Amino acid sequence: MFQEERMDQIMSLLTENRRASIEDICGLLPISKDTVRRDLIRLEEQGRIIRTRGGAMLPQLSKEIDHYEKRLHMDRSVKEDIARAAAALVRPGDYLLLDSSTTVQFAAESISYTDNIVVTNSIDIAVLLSSKEGVALHLLGGALQKEQRFLYGPRTMAALADYRFDKVFLGTCGITAAGLSNPYEEEGMLIREMIRSADQVIVLADASKFGKRLFYQVAGLDSVDILVTNREPPEEMRLELERHHVETVVTNSKPAQTQEAQEAAEGGDA
């Protein structure tokens, strides 16, 4: 087995467990401890892991976020399963607030609307819902973040302050036992206000978001009512979810692939 293949296997193990010992990796791959150490050194040089005493872990502070269009196609089947489970939580007449995440966009497409009102800061969700029956649409105004395709800023915050909702559907780039985080301070502040404006907070997050922590801390798990995901959360986070009485809805999807594994499966195309 080539080193790149071994490194992909190690990254898959770390994605599932967030950390692994050298013994764990040797149990997965028929290689020596010295070979594992060399592979871990290479992965650390690439910035993909942090070596620990006797093993490795994934970096918790994530700094790079792919553009919206790329994220929309990553782990699509997993996101669609999560979206369908989330859409089933909507009732006729619900007033809904939808953020600009890709998984929430899939949920917006899956919802069967009956006399629903939807407010969003996503230009893509607005276009999607403009042709749907049974839904009245309101688009929050503001400045456009072109790469991630959401509206934000003082005008967006001021408009949001006038609304109240039955449910808010949120995606997240990272979720840990400490809560939700976001790479953009402006969007993080807006999401915090979204949480305050809704009776029920529903977070949609595939397993690749577990253990990731980003620049701006949005909210603790005490602000979440329902988490919809494709895999049981890690033990520490599961205990915190239970402590804060967060309902966890788990679909039957396979765990989300790492970006590297997905690109390999697609022949290296982004």
Side-chain angles (χ1 to χ4, degrees):
M1 183 181 291
F2 295 111
Q3 185 179 42
E4 290 297 326
E5 294 175 310
R6 295 196 306 269
M7 288 163 56
D8 284 342
Q9 295 260 8
I10 293 170
M11 290 303 300
S12 295
L13 178 64
L14 287 170
T15 299
E16 290 190 24
N17 300 289
R18 309 309 302 175
R19 62 171 64 234
S21 67
I22 289 175
E23 288 76 15
D24 292 333
I25 298 169
C26 287
L28 175 70
L29 301 171
I31 55 178
S32 69
K33 291 183 178 181
D34 287 340
T35 301
V36 171
R37 291 188 183 97
R38 286 194 294 271
D39 289 347
L40 294 181
I41 289 171
R42 178 77 182 279
L43 286 167
E44 186 175 51
E45 289 172 348
Q46 294 177 354
R48 297 164 68 185
I49 68 163
I50 297 172
R51 283 196 298 152
T52 61
R53 189 177 184 86
M57 62 182 290
L58 292 182
Q60 279 204 304
L61 185 60
S62 301
K63 299 177 182 178
E64 296 183 4
I65 300 297
D66 290 312
H67 291 191
Y68 191 88
E69 285 298 323
K70 185 172 183 179
R71 292 191 291 113
L72 193 64
H73 294 95
M74 291 173 64
D75 298 312
R76 183 172 183 134
S77 62
V78 172
K79 291 179 180 180
E80 287 175 337
D81 281 349
I82 292 171
R84 283 190 290 269
L89 301 173
V90 175
R91 300 291 175 260
D94 275 348
Y95 286 28
L96 307 173
L97 177 59
L98 308 181
D99 84 346
S100 60
S101 79
T102 56
T103 313
V104 172
Q105 180 176 332
F106 288 124
E109 191 169 7
S110 298
I111 294 170
S112 297
Y113 296 97
T114 306
D115 298 325
N116 297 113
I117 290 178
V118 170
V119 176
T120 185
N121 70 321
S122 164
I123 60 174
D124 292 275
I125 290 177
V127 171
L128 174 69
L129 296 186
S130 64
S131 60
K132 289 269 190 180
E133 298 292 334
V135 57
L137 174 66
H138 298 256
L139 179 63
L140 295 171
L144 174 64
Q145 212 287 355
K146 293 182 179 180
E147 292 181 355
Q148 304 301 343
R149 305 179 66 78
F150 64 80
L151 297 164
Y152 71 100
R155 289 182 181 273
T156 318
M157 298 281 280
L160 181 61
D162 294 332
Y163 295 112
R164 293 295 179 270
F165 304 94
D166 295 300
K167 297 177 174 74
V168 58
F169 288 84
L170 305 171
T172 184
C173 293
I175 179 169
T176 68
L180 313 177
S181 57
N182 191 284
Y184 304 104
E185 182 176 2
E186 296 89 348
E187 187 182 25
M189 293 172 65
L190 179 61
I191 292 172
R192 188 178 290 174
E193 289 304 311
M194 288 181 168
I195 289 171
R196 291 172 180 164
S197 69
D199 292 337
Q200 189 175 54
V201 177
I202 302 168
V203 174
L204 285 57
D206 65 69
S208 71
K209 309 303 191 302
F210 294 166
K212 286 189 176 180
R213 181 170 53 87
L214 293 104
F215 175 65
Y216 188 81
Q217 179 73 16
V218 176
L221 295 181
D222 57 327
S223 297
V224 179
D225 295 298
I226 300 175
L227 170 65
V228 187
T229 185
N230 64 305
R231 183 158 57 86
E232 288 290 344
E235 181 70 6
E236 182 185 8
M237 194 166 85
R238 184 184 63 78
L239 292 174
E240 282 299 297
L241 289 165
E242 291 178 356
R243 188 168 75 86
H244 292 297
H245 307 289
V246 179
E247 179 184 351
T248 302
V249 177
V250 181
T251 72
N252 294 321
S253 305
K254 293 180 180 180
Q257 289 180 306
T258 63
Q259 181 178 339
E260 293 83 0
Q262 180 166 327
E263 290 178 353
E266 295 173 353
D269 294 331

